[in-house]
Amino acid sequence: MNVESLQIISKFMNDYEYEKAMELCDELLKKDNENSHLWALKGCCLNHFEKYVEAMECYNRSLSGNDENPFIWFHVGKILMEYDLFDDALECFNNSLEINPADDMALYSKGECLMFKKSYTEAITCFDLAIGFNPKYLNAWLNKGLALKLSNNFKEALECFDKVLFINHKSKDALYFKADCYFNLGDLNSALKCCNEALAIDGDYLNSEILLIKSVVLMDLGEYGSAIEAADIALENNPDDYDLKMFKAQALAFAGKYMEALWLVEELADENHGDMELWKLIEYIKMHI
């Protein structure tokens, strides 16, 4: 394969024209069927189309001719993650990092794997290394913060989410996680501020989750009417969300709207007979009717 052909394939891929790139790979593979670079590039195209089984076949063909390519090990690891094979994926990322220890993307992906395995301390180490090579690696900062949050290190997590917002002030994820951290720290007003900032950003992404936290915060602040409104907005998009309906029922009960609350909890009782919090709420409502 000449350098010009490789440049053309790379350009197609950089321009997101993966079908053209794959067609050229197939054409060249007819002449050079053992070319590990071509098999790797074709695998990358298939990976983009989420054809993971076919992509893996290409990567295996590539590795059989060249197992010293960190690019291939990285992409095999990403496919294995799609199938929740985190131990195997970790092995691939480790192979990639043995060849290229400074690969921030492989370090980040290794951290992701460790997060799924709930190995948060090791994951944070990987994210720190990735950030060391790329200080503006937004997702590494975000996931480091998430790992810290899941480890109950809420103050340190907030620092990471602030780093994310410095890089991208419209990150809903960072504001959502910040709200949750503030809630766990008992700073309800700061949690509410983060929720409102996140909801002001265009798009519906994460809105239901943010509105759920907002409802809980408003309930804890004793603002039951506002909590009901927030829950109603969230339920417009997720009418079957059990947690949202449960919080709305609690808010209705605490606001003294017992009949409305009773109607809702009786509907919830048909969905979940084993929720002790629900039955406690039903008893509380019946005591006040």
Side-chain angles (χ1 to χ4, degrees):
M1 179 179 63
N2 59 44
V3 175
E4 184 181 354
S5 296
L6 180 60
Q7 288 175 337
I8 293 170
I9 294 169
S10 297
K11 186 178 186 309
F12 280 144
M13 292 174 71
N14 288 335
D15 292 339
Y16 302 102
E17 295 184 86
Y18 291 98
E19 286 187 11
K20 289 184 179 179
M22 194 157 60
E23 285 174 7
L24 184 52
C25 284
D26 283 335
E27 184 180 326
L28 293 168
L29 281 166
K30 289 176 183 177
K31 303 172 185 176
D32 187 4
N33 194 49
E34 300 303 318
N35 191 303
S36 62
H37 292 290
L38 284 172
W39 282 114
L41 290 169
K42 182 177 178 180
C44 192
C45 293
L46 288 163
N47 197 24
H48 173 78
F49 292 117
E50 298 183 1
K51 295 182 177 181
Y52 301 124
V53 174
E54 294 173 60
M56 186 68 85
E57 290 173 1
C58 290
Y59 289 134
N60 285 335
R61 288 289 299 267
S62 182
L63 285 170
S64 67
N66 176 15
D67 63 357
E68 293 296 318
N69 188 333
F71 169 87
I72 304 169
W73 283 116
F74 171 76
H75 282 284
V76 171
K78 296 296 283 186
I79 289 174
L80 290 168
M81 283 183 70
E82 293 291 337
Y83 291 98
D84 296 340
L85 298 170
F86 301 117
D87 288 328
D88 293 331
L90 274 173
E91 188 177 338
C92 290
F93 296 133
N94 284 332
N95 287 341
S96 178
L97 289 164
E98 279 182 20
I99 302 164
N100 181 13
D103 187 341
D104 58 331
M105 292 179 67
L107 285 163
Y108 169 75
S109 295
K110 180 179 177 180
E112 275 192 308
C113 267
L114 290 164
M115 285 273 286
F116 282 114
K117 288 169 62 67
K118 299 184 180 179
S119 301
Y120 301 126
T121 302
E122 294 174 66
I124 289 165
T125 299
C126 290
F127 296 137
D128 277 335
L129 288 168
I131 289 164
F133 292 115
N134 181 1
K136 291 186 177 180
Y137 201 152
L138 186 147
N139 282 336
W141 280 113
L142 185 71
N143 276 281
K144 179 185 175 182
L146 180 56
L148 286 163
K149 184 178 85 72
L150 292 169
S151 305
N152 296 324
N153 295 314
F154 301 114
K155 290 183 179 179
E156 292 177 63
L158 283 169
E159 293 175 11
C160 293
F161 299 136
D162 282 335
K163 288 282 189 181
V164 174
L165 290 163
F166 180 77
I167 299 167
N168 175 15
H169 68 282
K170 289 189 175 183
S171 172
K172 272 194 177 185
D173 294 277
L175 287 165
Y176 167 57
F177 291 139
K178 273 188 77 172
D180 195 31
C181 284
Y182 278 128
F183 177 75
N184 280 284
L185 289 167
D187 188 346
L188 300 180
N189 288 315
S190 293
L192 185 59
K193 182 174 179 289
C194 289
C195 288
N196 288 333
E197 286 179 20
L199 291 167
I201 296 170
D202 291 339
D204 294 332
Y205 173 66
L206 275 181
N207 279 4
S208 294
E209 292 87 345
I210 296 163
L211 284 161
L212 180 57
I213 291 182
K214 182 175 178 178
S215 299
V216 178
V217 170
L218 288 165
M219 280 240 294
D220 282 13
L221 288 169
E223 298 182 24
Y224 304 124
S226 297
I228 294 165
E229 288 176 15
D232 278 336
I233 294 169
L235 284 165
E236 286 176 9
N237 293 324
N238 294 278
D240 298 321
D241 190 301
Y242 182 88
D243 290 331
L244 280 170
K245 288 191 283 188
M246 182 66 176
F247 279 116
K248 181 181 177 181
Q250 289 174 326
L252 286 165
F254 296 151
K257 298 181 178 182
Y258 300 116
M259 291 308 298
E260 290 180 61
L262 183 62
W263 175 82
L264 185 52
V265 293
E266 286 179 343
E267 177 188 324
L268 291 173
D270 291 334
E271 298 177 26
N272 190 338
H273 295 287
D275 186 349
M276 293 306 298
E277 289 300 315
L278 174 62
W279 291 104
K280 287 178 185 177
L281 181 58
I282 290 172
E283 287 182 17
Y284 173 84
I285 293 166
K286 287 183 175 179
M287 283 172 57
H288 289 81
I289 291 176

